[in-house]
Amino acid sequence: MNKHFTASSIPKGIHCLSLRLTDEYSSNAHARRQLPAPELLPLLSDNSYHHFILSTDNILAASVVVTSTVASSLRPEKIVFHVITDKKTYAGMHSWFALNSVSPAIIEVKGVHQFEWLTRENVPVLEAVESHNSIRNYYHGNHVAAPRMFASKLQARSPKYISLLNHLRIYLPELFPNLDKVVFLDDDVVIQRDLSPLWDIDLKGKVNGAVETCRGEDEWVMSKRFKNYFNFSHPLIANNLDSEECAWAYGMNVFDLHTWRKTSIRETYHSWQNLKSNLTMWKLGTLPPALIAFKGHVHAIDPEWHMLGLGYQNKTDIESVKRAAVIHYNGQSKPWLPIGFEHLRPFWTKYVNYSNDFVRNCHIMET
């Protein structure tokens, strides 16, 4: 239970960073400057550039994703980053990237409130997320159970799993109607190699280029099949899915938005994603309904592009970490939390600018 609360909490330094940058937005015109500059706006929809999409309310994590991507790129001038955040974090997130240039890469910061397409009619999950009674029952219902089961239910009720930011990836074709191909990144990844070859991968007519997680040397991390995510005693699951089907990873995905728009992936996702019932059919968040929605639309890519488990696998092989293009701290032990694994944290902290005034004043320390 203590680990759950630690994993779900916002460290004081990161909360401070958001507050101070929000205050800076209101008092410093430079922090409010347009991102990107007006003359660069056409590049936001130019498909000859490499477009990355990141959805998060963690400013420090966002800075690491963007900084590591640009630093690892052989052609950073071809990078366009689209950072999406929520309304409360928008001013702080904008301030950070307005005050900390990522040039020659291009960046825009948008709040979910700035997307006209995001309405209750188009996004049914909005109603569930915003329903006071639903949220109250979800978090404060009768959860008396054996300790292990209680811990599992606590994890399933982590705020991130009902956050709209966590569901946004299923709406990318509509949110970015002019883009054809994008790479979506989670906020708990670090990029260690040039990712431009991802745009050259032939997805063979599929929508989602992803690393499969059912085969690999690390049996603990790379042994995930549908049976690991779904309750096959539920008739709807048993009648529609194969328990042995290989799962794949969210967190670094190549999405062909042009092909995606010709499918019914979003509609399938909506039909399965129901907060009232998902704890009886599956345990955690947005990956299980995505596994269903993208069924038949996934092209497997080389596992060296995306290494998982750094947030729950303490015995992660360091040499494998060094070789991976993208390392993913999926799991509870995030590198910005005190429960992060000490020997894995340096791969993340090397991209934090500890000399930045806001980082220093919020006492965000490397150790």
Side-chain angles (χ1 to χ4, degrees), residues 23-274:
D23 184 57
E24 193 72 9
Y25 185 85
S26 65
S27 61
N28 182 350
H30 191 57
R32 295 191 301 273
R33 69 183 177 88
Q34 187 172 338
L35 289 176
E39 64 272 15
L40 299 176
L41 286 175
L43 302 184
L44 296 180
S45 54
D46 187 333
N47 282 296
S48 68
Y49 282 72
H50 298 149
H51 295 266
F52 292 91
I53 298 174
L54 171 66
S55 176
T56 181
D57 61 355
N58 186 327
I59 297 170
L60 191 66
S63 75
V64 168
V65 175
V66 173
T67 301
S68 64
T69 304
V70 175
S72 303
S73 174
L74 298 177
R75 299 184 66 194
E77 70 279 2
K78 296 292 288 183
I79 289 177
V80 178
F81 250 102
H82 307 266
V83 179
I84 309 172
T85 192
D86 57 18
K87 195 171 185 177
K88 68 176 172 57
T89 313
Y90 170 75
M93 189 75 76
H94 187 106
S95 291
W96 176 268
F97 288 109
L99 298 171
N100 297 279
S101 172
V102 297
S103 181
I106 296 155
I107 194 163
E108 76 161 341
V109 178
K110 289 190 78 170
V112 290
H113 58 289
Q114 295 173 317
F115 287 97
E116 293 180 6
W117 189 86
L118 287 175
T119 64
R120 282 182 180 79
E121 293 73 33
N122 290 330
V123 187
V125 75
L126 265 178
E127 190 170 348
V129 170
E130 294 178 355
S131 166
H132 175 72
N133 289 332
S134 170
I135 298 300
R136 184 178 61 196
N137 292 334
Y138 197 64
Y139 281 98
H140 306 297
N142 181 12
H143 305 323
V144 177
R148 187 175 293 277
M149 187 179 296
F150 181 57
S152 176
K153 287 192 173 186
L154 273 176
Q155 189 178 358
R157 287 173 169 82
S158 173
K160 73 174 185 176
Y161 292 125
I162 57 169
S163 163
L164 176 59
L165 289 174
N166 205 36
H167 292 272
L168 277 185
R169 66 192 99 193
I170 206 70
Y171 307 116
L172 294 182
E174 290 76 28
L175 299 182
F176 298 94
N178 299 315
L179 297 183
D180 293 336
K181 200 171 193 179
V182 302
V183 169
F184 186 91
L185 298 171
D186 273 357
D187 66 358
D188 53 354
V189 304
V190 174
I191 285 65
Q192 304 186 126
R193 216 163 68 210
D194 177 46
L195 297 186
S196 57
L198 291 174
W199 274 263
D200 298 325
I201 293 177
D202 182 0
L203 296 181
K204 311 288 186 187
K206 306 294 187 183
V207 170
N208 178 3
V211 168
E212 290 184 321
T213 53
C214 69
R215 49 180 68 92
E217 294 179 9
D218 189 336
E219 292 182 8
W220 177 247
V221 177
M222 300 297 283
S223 60
K224 303 293 191 296
R225 297 184 182 273
F226 276 29
K227 63 185 177 184
N228 298 101
Y229 295 99
F230 297 100
N231 174 16
F232 276 87
S233 64
H234 194 292
L236 267 177
I237 297 297
N239 293 335
N240 287 278
L241 302 177
D242 175 4
S243 64
E244 292 300 317
E245 185 162 344
C246 190
W248 46 268
Y250 251 168
M252 195 290 292
N253 301 83
V254 186
F255 287 126
D256 182 335
L257 302 186
H258 179 71
T259 302
W260 188 341
R261 294 185 188 101
K262 302 173 186 175
T263 72
S264 57
I265 289 171
R266 174 164 55 94
E267 290 74 17
T268 303
Y269 185 88
H270 282 167
S271 69
W272 284 88
Q273 177 59 271
N274 183 330

